[in-house]
Amino acid sequence: MKKEHPGAPLLRMDRIPHIWCPTCGIGTTLNCLISALSASKLDLDKVSVVSGIGCTGRGAGYIKLDSFHVTHGRAIPFATGLKLANPKLKVIVFSGDGDIIAIGGNHFIHAARRNIDIVVICVNNFNYAMTGGQVGPTTPLTANATTMPFGNYEKPFNLPYLAESSGAVYVTRWTALHIRRLTGAISETLNKKGFSFIEVISPCSTIYARRNKLGDGLSLMKFYHDNSEIKHGANTRDVNIEFQKKIVVGKFVDIEKPTFLEARDEHYRRVLGEKYQPYGGIG
Amino acid sequence: MSRTEIKIGGFGGQGVILTALIIGKAASLFEGRESTMTQSFGPEARGGACSAQIVVSDMKVRYPYVTVPNVLVVMSQEAYTRFEPQLDENGILLIEEDLVKSGPTRGKIRAFSIPATRFAEELGRKIVLNIVMLGFFTSVTKLVDADAVRKAIRDTVPKGTEELNLKAFEKGYEYGLNKLKEEKKKLG
Amino acid sequence: MKADPKGVLTGSHYLDGDHACCEGALAAGCRFVAGYPITPSTEVVERFSARIPRVGGIFIQMEDELSSSIAILGASWAGVKSMTVTSGPGFSLMMEHIGLAVMLETPCVYVDVQRGGPSTGLPTLPSQADMMQARWGSHGDYEVIAISPSSPQECFDMTIDAFNLSEQYRTPVFLMMDECVGHMTEKVVIPPADKIEVTPRRYTKLPPGKYLPYKPDRDLVPPIVKAGDGYRFHVTGLTHNEKGYPVMSADCQETLVHRLVDKIRVNAKKIIRYEEEKINGADVIVVSYGITARVAQQAIELARKDGVKVGSLRLVVVWPFPEKRIRELAGKTKAFVVPEMNYGQIVFEVERCAAGRAATFLVPHGGGTTHNPEDIYKKIMEAAG
C-alpha cells in the first residue's frame, strides 16, 4: 500500500522529488513549517510564503500555498508590500542566511525596525551552498569556503543579536535536529504580531561539511545533539556561533510592540481624526 | 499681445516662486488663459539666487521657457545684475527699491520701484513683501486681472493668512496705480 | 470601469508634473506606493504620502530603490494597484525588479523623472538619457511599454494610461518623465470620476484547481489571481511553464520568453500612440518626445516661416516604437530630424526604420537644460538641403 507523506496536503507533490541533498536540513525545516501550519487554526488560503534565491529559496516552490519565488535578497521587501497591501494575509519569508542577511541584510534590519508583521524563517547553513560553498555573513571564523580557501577571517553576524537590536519582537534559534521545538516556535510566530525571526541551524552535508571535513549528515546531527545548549531568555549578545563549538538555542526574545500598521493607524487616527481613511486591503 | 514672458528674481525665502505661482494660477484658473510656470531648482535656489518664470498666453503655451522677458521683477541686487540685460528693450522693470540699486534704463524700458519690504514691515509681517510686489506688478503691468490675482492669492496662501496677504496685495496695487499716475503726469 | 471617486480630485488645478502624476495615480486607483527620495521625483511621493491617509491606502518610504521596486510587486500580488517613482540612480537600482515584474507578469507602474547622468550627474536638471535603459535595462529579453508626457496635464492623463496598460497587458509600464515636465507648473484639469476610464484587473473566472497562472488568453495575456483567494498558486522568477513551475529547458524558455515578447509585439498596434502635425508633403519630419517636443515646436515654426515644409511626429508611447509608421514616412519624406536630450538613443530607432530611405539627423544635447530651439532649427534647414 502506498502511503501518502503526512505533509502532502501542503506540498506541491507534482514537484517532488525536491532539489535538496540527502540529510540537508532545509526539507526538515519546511516540514516543521508545514506541521505548524497544519496544526494551526489559520485559514491557509490567507497564508503566503515568500522566498529569495538559494537552496532555501526553493522552499516557496514546494509549499502548496500562495507562494512567491522572487529575486536574491528581496523576499522581505516583497513580503512587506504583500502584507501592507493586504493586512489580512499571514506572510512568511522562508529563505537562507546569504539571501536574508548578506544581499538582503538592509531589508532585514529595516523590516525589523518598522516591525512589519511577518515571520522570517532563516535557514543558516553557514555558506552559499547553491553556488558551491562560498563564504557568507554567517560562516564561522576559520571555517573553510571556496572563496576563503585558507579559512575564514571575517567575523560573522550573530543573527539573534542582529534581529533583536534591529527591533524584532520574537527571536528564536533551533537546529534542524530540534524538530518538535522548531515546530512549536513556528506555531508561536503564526499567532504572533510583528516581526518574528527564527534562525534554523541546518546541516549542509554536501558542501559545507564536506569541505570542512565534518562527516556525513548523521554525524552532523550527532554534533547538534551533543553541542546544542537550550537557554531560553539568553542574552542575544552571548549567542554567537564559533566553528564547531557549542550552539546556544532557545527562545531569546518574545515581546509586544505595535506593528508598522498599528502604529500608523493609531497615529493617523490621532492626528487626522475624522479625515483618516483606515485601510484594510481589498478582497 | 498673445504671449507675454515674465521673470521674477530675488533670493531664497522671499517668496519668489510663490509669487510666480499666483500669477500663473490667476491667468490659468481664474482668467481662462494659459500659463506655464518654471523655476530654478537646486541647492543654489536655497538662500542664494532664486528665479521663476511665467509665460502667459491666450493660446496654448508650447515653448515653455522665457527667453526675452517682457516683464522683469527684481527683489535682489544679484537678480537685477543677472537678469536686467535679458529684459526686452520695450519691457517693464519692477524693482524693490530698498534692496536694489538700479542703473539707468535701456531703450524704451519703463522702470517702476517700490519699497515693498518696508510696506510689508508696516503691515506687521516682512514675509508678505512678495505679495506687496505682486500687487504692484498687477496694477503696473495690467497683464493679469486684479480680481483673478485676488482669487489666486486666497487659493494659494496658507489658511488664516488670507486677509494679511490681501492687505499686502492692495498696498502694492494702490502704490502701483499712483506710480502710473505720476508717470502719466511726467509724460504730460 | 469608472474611477473610484475617492481618489479623484475633480477640478482645475495649477500643478507641476510631479504632483499631477501623483493625482493621476490616485485617479487610476493606485493605493500603494513605495518609494525612496530622489530629486527630481520626490514631489510625487511627498504628495502621495499626504493624500493617501485621507483616501485609504498605503505609502511606505523604503530603505532604498531595490526594496521600493519589489515592494510594489508584493502589493500588486495582493491585488492593489501600485507604483514607485524615481530618477536616474534609483532607476538603475530598480532594473532587476523590472525584469521580475516582466517575468511574473505583474501589473505595476515605474515612474522615472529623468535627470542628467551618468551616475549622480545633474540631480536637479533634466535629460532624456534613460530611454534606452527603460527599453533594455534589465537583463534578458523582453518588451516594455513606455510613455513620455510633455506637460503636467499629460503627466496626469498618462499616469492613468500607464496603469490601464499595465493591467491590460500584465506588464510593468514606464512613465518616462523628465525634470522639465516634472517641475513645470500648468493648468491640470481633473475630470469627474465617472469620466475617467480605468482598466480593471483581468482576474480569472476559473476556480482553483482549474486555473493555470500562465496559460494565456487569445491576446497572449494570462488572466491573473491575487494572494488570499484560495488558488494556492506559485510564481517564480525562474523560467516557468503554464503552471508557474520552474522548468530549466530551452523549450520552456522559448515558449515563455517568446510569448512575453510577443504579448507586446502582437498588441503593439493597440498600444502605440503618436501625434502628427503637417506630415503630408513634409520634406523634413521632426521626431521628438517629452519636453523636447515642445522645444522643437519653436524651431519648426521658425523653419516654416522660411518656407520649409516641416512636419512633426511626437512620440507619446515611445516603447513599443512605431516602426511601421516611421518606415512608411521614410518613403515619403527627405529627412528625419530627431532632437533629444542625450547623445543619440531614439534616433537610432528612427534610423533603423528609415533604413536609408530617408536621411536621419540627430540634434544631440547633454541635458542640464533643454535644447536651444535655434540648434534644432539649423538642423532642420540642413536636412531640408
Side-chain angles (χ1 to χ4, degrees):
Chain A
M1 192 184 88
K2 203 176 159 202
K3 256 189 139 177
E4 202 183 40
H5 187 282
L10 284 184
L11 279 172
R12 299 187 187 275
M13 294 306 285
D14 49 356
R15 291 210 57 210
I16 304 295
H18 55 68
I19 63 154
W20 296 314
C21 308
T23 76
C24 168
I26 301 170
T28 316
T29 308
L30 189 71
N31 228 344
C32 293
L33 171 60
I34 285 172
S35 304
L37 285 166
S38 308
S40 80
K41 293 194 177 74
L42 293 176
D43 173 0
L44 296 185
D45 282 346
K46 303 282 181 209
V47 179
S48 281
V49 178
V50 186
S51 292
I53 299 296
C55 290
T56 316
R58 293 303 182 96
Y62 298 121
I63 195 157
K64 201 169 167 187
L65 293 172
D66 291 342
S67 56
F68 302 89
H69 182 215
V70 299
T71 49
H72 195 18
R74 322 296 171 204
I76 288 177
F78 184 96
T80 298
L82 191 61
K83 174 69 190 179
L84 298 187
N86 185 357
K88 293 177 202 100
L89 299 176
K90 185 81 198 175
V91 181
I92 299 163
V93 168
F94 188 87
S95 221
D97 51 312
D99 188 75
I100 291 175
I101 303 301
I103 185 167
N106 199 32
H107 312 310
F108 176 77
I109 59 174
H110 285 283
R113 171 179 67 80
R114 298 186 179 107
N115 201 20
I116 301 290
D117 184 13
I118 56 176
V119 178
V120 175
I121 299 172
C122 177
V123 177
N124 178 4
N125 59 10
F126 302 126
N127 76 142
Y128 285 89
M130 180 73 96
T131 46
Q134 294 75 35
V135 69
T138 54
T139 309
L141 277 173
T142 74
N144 198 288
T146 62
T147 48
M148 280 288 184
F150 309 106
N152 179 28
Y153 49 81
E154 275 186 25
K155 213 168 155 11
F157 267 132
N158 166 351
L159 301 191
Y161 184 35
L162 180 65
E164 183 184 16
S165 36
S166 302
V169 293
Y170 185 100
V171 180
T172 185
R173 175 198 280 157
W174 297 100
T175 78
L177 183 78
H178 297 88
I179 291 172
R180 198 172 45 82
R181 293 180 190 270
L182 176 56
T183 306
I186 297 172
S187 295
E188 277 187 37
T189 63
L190 293 179
N191 298 309
K192 177 97 190 158
K193 264 190 189 168
F195 189 87
S196 298
F197 178 66
I198 301 172
E199 181 185 13
V200 186
I201 305 298
S202 163
C204 173
S205 49
T206 316
I207 311 274
Y208 179 77
R210 187 178 290 171
R211 194 165 184 91
N212 283 286
K213 304 188 172 61
L214 304 179
D216 61 5
L218 198 61
S219 42
L220 289 166
M221 286 299 178
K222 177 134 186 11
F223 178 83
Y224 293 164
H225 179 266
D226 297 343
N227 292 280
S228 298
E229 188 184 334
I230 300 177
K231 262 188 174 171
H232 291 303
N235 188 331
T236 53
R237 267 172 202 275
D238 305 327
V239 303
N240 56 315
I241 293 175
E242 291 174 51
F243 186 60
Q244 291 305 98
K245 297 262 175 69
K246 179 184 77 180
I247 300 170
V248 178
V249 294
K251 182 162 83 176
F252 308 130
V253 178
D254 189 356
I255 58 169
E256 303 288 325
K257 233 177 10 182
T259 66
F260 175 93
L261 285 175
E262 286 169 343
R264 178 186 192 268
D265 204 49
E266 193 274 325
H267 180 75
Y268 278 151
R269 272 180 210 285
R270 191 154 38 80
V271 298
L272 295 178
E274 295 281 282
K275 285 182 196 146
Y276 175 49
Q277 290 287 322
Y279 175 75
I282 61 165
Chain B
M1 207 183 333
S2 82
R3 180 186 167 106
T4 308
E5 300 187 352
I6 303 157
K7 187 157 195 147
I8 305 175
F11 43 78
Q14 276 183 326
V16 167
I17 310 289
L18 192 79
T19 311
L21 192 78
I22 293 170
I23 295 170
K25 195 185 260 187
S28 268
L29 301 190
F30 300 109
E31 265 196 326
R33 294 157 80 198
E34 301 284 345
S35 80
T36 302
M37 197 274 279
T38 54
Q39 55 194 291
S40 61
F41 261 90
E44 69 275 12
R46 298 204 176 105
C50 177
S51 68
Q53 328 174 77
I54 315 116
V55 176
V56 179
S57 174
D58 295 332
M59 294 181 307
K60 211 166 172 58
V61 177
R62 279 185 145 165
Y63 187 68
Y65 298 108
V66 165
T67 43
V68 182
N70 306 103
V71 179
L72 174 65
V73 182
V74 286
M75 300 192 265
S76 76
Q77 192 64 41
E78 194 189 340
Y80 173 78
T81 312
R82 267 177 67 188
F83 303 134
E84 195 281 331
Q86 300 170 6
L87 179 61
D88 182 80
E89 56 178 27
N90 295 305
I92 299 176
L93 175 64
L94 302 178
I95 293 168
E96 205 303 340
E97 66 183 42
D98 290 341
L99 298 173
V100 179
K101 224 178 122 201
S102 57
T105 51
R106 287 180 291 118
K108 292 180 187 159
I109 290 172
R110 294 161 65 210
F112 300 89
S113 48
I114 178 172
T117 312
R118 236 185 302 152
F119 287 158
E121 277 165 356
E122 283 167 25
L123 288 164
R125 292 292 302 277
K126 193 179 160 186
I127 198 166
V128 294
L129 100 101
N130 63 327
I131 306 296
V132 176
M133 213 65 200
L134 175 64
F136 190 55
F137 164 89
T138 308
S139 55
V140 172
T141 67
K142 298 190 184 71
L143 275 171
V144 191
D145 176 67
D147 274 336
V149 179
R150 288 185 186 104
K151 280 182 199 157
I153 291 173
R154 280 194 183 281
D155 197 58
T156 310
V157 300
K159 291 264 166 302
T161 70
E162 293 94 335
E163 296 317 313
L164 171 69
N165 277 292
L166 285 168
K167 249 191 229 164
F169 174 82
E170 300 306 338
K171 183 81 192 171
Y173 188 80
E174 286 303 318
Y175 194 80
L177 288 180
N178 287 330
K179 283 274 175 175
L180 284 179
K181 274 183 208 154
E182 277 175 28
E183 186 196 40
K184 217 173 172 184
K185 257 189 221 159
K186 227 186 270 173
L187 296 172
Chain C
M1 192 172 120
K2 302 297 174 199
D4 169 8
K6 262 197 301 204
V8 184
L9 205 63
T10 303
S12 291
H13 307 270
Y14 202 54
L15 296 179
D16 73 14
D18 281 357
H19 287 108
C21 167
C22 170
E23 290 305 328
L26 286 165
C30 173
R31 296 293 180 267
F32 184 95
V33 167
Y36 186 80
I38 185 165
T39 307
S41 75
T42 313
E43 290 88 336
V44 184
V45 294
E46 284 175 340
R47 188 178 181 103
F48 196 87
S49 67
R51 290 269 281 127
I52 200 65
R54 289 174 284 188
V55 171
I58 298 284
F59 169 71
I60 182 169
Q61 184 174 313
M62 295 297 285
E63 51 275 12
D64 54 25
E65 288 90 348
L66 298 164
S67 47
S68 303
S69 59
I70 193 168
I72 65 164
L73 305 187
S76 186
W77 280 99
V80 178
K81 290 188 183 180
S82 55
M83 169 174 94
T84 188
V85 185
T86 192
S87 185
F91 198 48
S92 291
L93 288 179
M94 292 182 175
M95 285 301 135
E96 189 180 7
H97 292 137
I98 285 158
L100 183 68
V102 167
M103 197 64 153
L104 301 187
E105 300 184 64
T106 310
C108 58
V109 172
Y110 289 87
V111 179
D112 177 12
V113 187
Q114 295 171 87
R115 66 191 227 186
S119 190
T120 313
L122 299 169
T124 62
L125 300 171
S127 89
Q128 295 177 310
D130 303 350
M131 299 309 294
M132 280 294 174
Q133 186 181 23
R135 174 65 190 87
W136 299 107
S138 196
H139 58 277
D141 249 327
Y142 58 96
E143 287 272 350
V144 295
I145 300 175
I147 314 177
S148 179
S150 58
S151 68
Q153 180 70 51
E154 287 191 348
C155 290
F156 173 83
D157 296 337
M158 290 179 186
T159 304
I160 299 174
D161 296 340
F163 274 98
N164 288 348
L165 287 165
S166 81
E167 295 295 341
Q168 184 66 34
Y169 297 106
R170 270 192 75 176
T171 193
V173 175
F174 301 106
L175 190 75
M176 299 302 288
M177 293 170 53
D178 55 64
E179 187 275 337
C180 295
V181 165
H183 281 163
M184 159 196 293
T185 307
E186 290 183 332
K187 177 161 65 184
V188 175
V189 179
I190 301 182
D194 62 9
K195 292 278 183 305
I196 297 173
E197 216 34 68
V198 163
T199 305
R201 189 151 290 193
R202 295 173 61 172
Y203 286 118
T204 183
K205 291 181 180 71
L206 295 173
K210 290 254 162 57
Y211 171 73
L212 292 172
Y214 293 102
K215 188 173 167 25
D217 270 357
R218 255 199 301 188
D219 63 353
L220 302 182
V221 183
I224 198 168
V225 291
K226 66 178 194 292
D229 284 353
Y231 283 87
R232 302 199 182 181
F233 61 97
H234 178 62
V235 295
T236 174
L238 289 164
T239 293
H240 47 266
N241 60 17
E242 289 187 343
K243 227 173 175 178
Y245 288 4
V247 178
M248 302 298 98
S249 79
D251 279 351
C252 190
Q253 172 80 355
E254 160 62 20
T255 309
L256 173 66
V257 182
H258 209 148
R259 180 179 62 76
L260 291 179
V261 167
D262 273 354
K263 181 169 82 169
I264 305 300
R265 288 187 185 167
V266 166
N267 294 299
K269 225 168 65 184
K270 287 181 268 174
I271 303 167
I272 286 169
R273 252 173 77 195
Y274 48 81
E275 279 176 4
E276 292 179 345
E277 189 212 16
K278 296 188 180 164
I279 285 283
N280 287 338
D283 288 325
V284 178
I285 295 173
V286 175
V287 180
S288 57
Y289 54 94
I291 189 64
T292 309
R294 291 175 64 169
V295 175
Q297 201 61 42
Q298 188 93 334
I300 291 170
E301 274 151 31
L302 284 174
R304 281 181 188 152
K305 272 185 200 153
D306 288 354
V308 181
K309 285 185 188 161
V310 194
S312 159
L313 188 151
R314 176 168 79 99
L315 302 166
V316 174
V317 169
V318 177
W319 306 120
F321 190 74
E323 300 177 351
K324 226 179 108 202
R325 184 58 181 154
I326 298 290
R327 248 179 247 133
E328 278 168 15
L329 293 174
K332 297 178 183 166
T333 190
K334 271 205 261 181
F336 292 107
V337 169
V338 186
E340 46 184 345
M341 264 191 275
N342 56 54
Y343 293 105
Q345 296 194 11
I346 297 304
V347 69
F348 297 126
E349 287 295 291
V350 176
E351 202 167 24
R352 177 174 67 83
C353 300
R357 294 197 298 145
T360 306
F361 295 87
L362 166 69
V363 192
H365 192 294
T369 171
T370 52
H371 287 75
N372 182 345
E374 184 78 10
D375 295 335
I376 304 172
Y377 162 77
K378 280 184 199 148
K379 196 59 84 177
I380 295 172
M381 299 312 283
E382 185 190 332

